[in-house]
Amino acid sequence: MSGFDHKHMNGAVLAAILVLAALFRLHDVQQPLVDAFSWREASTAMMADNFFLRSWNIFFPEVSWTGPDPSYQGRELQVISYITALLYAVFGWDDTWGRLVAIAFGVWGVFALHRLIARLWDEAHAHAGAFLLAIMPGAVMIDRSFLPDPAMLALVTTGAWAYVAYLENDRLPVLIAAGLLTTIGVLAKLPGIAVVVPMAYATFVILHQRDRLSLGRLLVILPVALVAGALILGYYRWAHYLGTNYPPYHVAGSGYLWSDGFARFFEEAFYIPATWKIASSWLFTLPVVILTGIALLTAPPAANEGAPDDASASSARWFFHLWFLGAALVYVFAAREIKTNPWNFHIFNVPMAALAGRGLILLVGIGREQGLHTRALRLAAIAAVVVIGGSIPGLSLMKTPYADHGEKLGTRLSELSQPGDLVITATPTIGDPVAIYYSRRRGWVFPPGGGETEWSMLLEDDDAIEALEELRARNASWFGITKNARDMQRRRFLEYNKGLIAHLDKTAERVVDDDTMLIYRLTPPGNRGKAGRTRSARMLASAPDGQPVLPDATP
């Protein structure tokens, strides 16, 4: 096959992989933010809303679940939420925009990985690695979620690709582009810092191979690295300042080695059992883990093994092993945080896809004398196992609408309330702000959180009533509860807080009581007597479809 035909065929395969990546990510794209990541997605979506509705200052990300006042939080640079807010300004509000922006970054990341592998290894491995990133359930799930992580991975992967290209061609604009892309990627989500390890490795290996490893060459790279480091350090110092000096005094992330202590991490075996459950059930799944294991038992391919003669060569053949090492170092220092918020594992998806792609090539290449037809059948069989045995069940598990009652509660509150009303919500997972997001109002999760307060655990009745009255005094107008609400100890709200429900029935109007939710209209403290006299009439007026909603004395 001629060089032109070879290039044309590789381009067609890459195009097919990108279409596949888009199709996997676009499936059910209009699903509300009710999947396994609903809690974090709702907060990200609120920040997009607040950029659009309140302030375009990207350095002051703000959520809506801690009351009417500005609720600035110390978080990563809001790349995806800010782009989404810009789309709101052009096309109008629709929560699907957040998923679409994430998906665009996800497909871009598949392309960037393909070109990076092609430069480091060869086109065949690039096809295999990009194919696996396109369909791996964890990568697909995170890339379709309204989260910052898809931007992080796409940007640092592209930055790594550009940097390897610079090391091979010495073009200064490429170095600057690599530094800019990598910096924004790490700002988009801190785990992206793991890419520094393979980039440092590539620096010395490639320059040494080209006889260009010198102090002068390193002094060209060093200023870009120092500027990138200063920007990253400066931004995250600002994020920490913002989160510790403005209500609700919240800096995203917890569960780090320096805060929990080495002893706790050691006692928990660095959360490896929980991580293995995540990895095997939906993040990578067993077929991908097995393919990666095969790759780890062999050396990586020689530089551009089997590539056309005019392809550039690189000696950084262990690049993805070093990437995995960098991600593992991040994990060591943040194991509890990453395990608790598993979208942080996204930084592992690049080396896992590349290495699993290597394992796929090795399996398909067994018995080359058997002919192309046999190897093609073997490739199809392995791909089917990966998709049917891993991707489909993993995605089905994570797309389950765990928080759908929270979304319905929020939508009902939006219908009942007026702009400016403040709402309180308790959703299927206590602390999840998804109902506040879909109410299109500001308010509080219940129990209210902020700072060091634990907002995923129910309060005893006396404390819960006190918290309710404090929020009522701050002009809270509505209290909505999903009937399946429970906390992290699996205690059900309606069973654990019967005293609070009784207090609400005495001091508020039960407006909605159906199979899914309870909604109370909160009256100011001075108007409680009037509330009791008008409750029945208002419940009749507020009932859906003209049917009365009768109070249930034993929820």
Side-chain angles (χ1 to χ4, degrees), residues 374-430:
T374 300
R375 282 181 280 146
L377 289 176
R378 188 182 300 141
L379 173 62
I382 296 171
V385 169
V386 172
V387 173
I388 298 173
S391 296
I392 293 176
L395 285 170
S396 297
L397 173 68
M398 299 305 288
K399 287 183 180 180
T400 301
Y402 300 101
D404 61 337
H405 286 193
E407 183 261 339
K408 292 176 182 177
L409 172 62
T411 301
R412 193 75 177 96
L413 284 168
S414 178
E415 296 168 353
L416 292 169
S417 62
Q418 298 296 320
D421 285 357
L422 300 175
V423 302
I424 309 168
T425 65
T427 52
T429 300
I430 291 297

Side-chain angles (χ1 to χ4, degrees), residues 233-506:
L233 179 62
Y235 178 81
Y236 282 108
R237 282 181 64 87
W238 162 250
H240 184 268
Y241 173 83
L242 188 70
T244 54
N245 286 273
Y246 290 86
Y249 306 107
H250 178 69
V251 179
S254 62
Y256 302 110
L257 183 63
W258 55 85
S259 58
D260 286 6
F262 181 81
R264 179 175 179 183
F265 271 44
F266 186 78
E267 289 171 2
E268 298 288 345
F270 282 81
Y271 303 93
I272 291 175
T275 294
W276 170 249
K277 184 176 180 180
I278 291 169
S280 60
S281 63
W282 67 267
L283 183 65
F284 309 127
T285 69
L286 283 175
V288 172
V289 172
I290 291 170
L291 289 173
T292 303
I294 292 171
L296 291 175
L297 292 174
T298 64
N304 286 276
E305 184 177 76
D309 294 337
D310 59 348
S312 58
S314 169
S315 62
R317 56 194 301 207
W318 297 90
F319 189 90
F320 296 106
H321 295 73
L322 271 293
W323 189 316
F324 193 93
L325 174 62
L329 290 173
V330 172
Y331 176 84
V332 166
F333 287 100
R336 184 165 70 87
E337 159 66 16
I338 294 175
K339 179 269 301 181
T340 303
N341 299 308
W343 43 84
N344 289 302
F345 280 110
H346 205 31
I347 191 63
F348 281 91
N349 278 321
V350 159
M352 286 294 295
L355 293 171
R358 170 63 172 163
L360 178 60
I361 293 294
L362 290 171
L363 282 184
V364 171
I366 294 174
R368 291 181 179 272
E369 70 281 355
Q370 294 177 348
L372 181 62
H373 179 71
T374 300
R375 282 181 280 146
L377 289 176
R378 188 182 300 141
L379 173 62
I382 296 171
V385 169
V386 172
V387 173
I388 298 173
S391 296
I392 293 176
L395 285 170
S396 297
L397 173 68
M398 299 305 288
K399 287 183 180 180
T400 301
Y402 300 101
D404 61 337
H405 286 193
E407 183 261 339
K408 292 176 182 177
L409 172 62
T411 301
R412 193 75 177 96
L413 284 168
S414 178
E415 296 168 353
L416 292 169
S417 62
Q418 298 296 320
D421 285 357
L422 300 175
V423 302
I424 309 168
T425 65
T427 52
T429 300
I430 291 297
D432 186 347
V434 64
I436 296 177
Y437 173 66
Y438 281 105
S439 75
R440 315 300 298 144
R441 309 288 181 245
R442 296 178 73 87
W444 295 268
V445 293
F446 194 87
E452 297 299 320
T453 304
E454 174 59 73
W455 53 66
S456 62
M457 304 296 290
L458 292 171
L459 301 174
E460 299 289 339
D461 274 327
D462 289 344
D463 293 332
I465 292 171
E466 181 180 354
L468 167 64
E469 293 307 320
E470 289 177 357
L471 297 182
R472 191 200 301 261
R474 296 182 63 185
N475 298 318
S477 303
W478 301 89
F479 194 154
I481 308 159
T482 64
K483 290 190 172 179
N484 61 350
R486 63 185 183 183
D487 68 7
M488 290 301 178
Q489 291 186 1
R490 307 183 74 82
R491 299 177 298 191
R492 292 188 174 274
F493 189 107
L494 297 186
E495 296 172 359
Y496 191 75
N497 284 136
K498 291 181 179 180
L500 174 62
I501 298 298
H503 178 76
L504 282 164
D505 283 329
K506 292 178 181 178

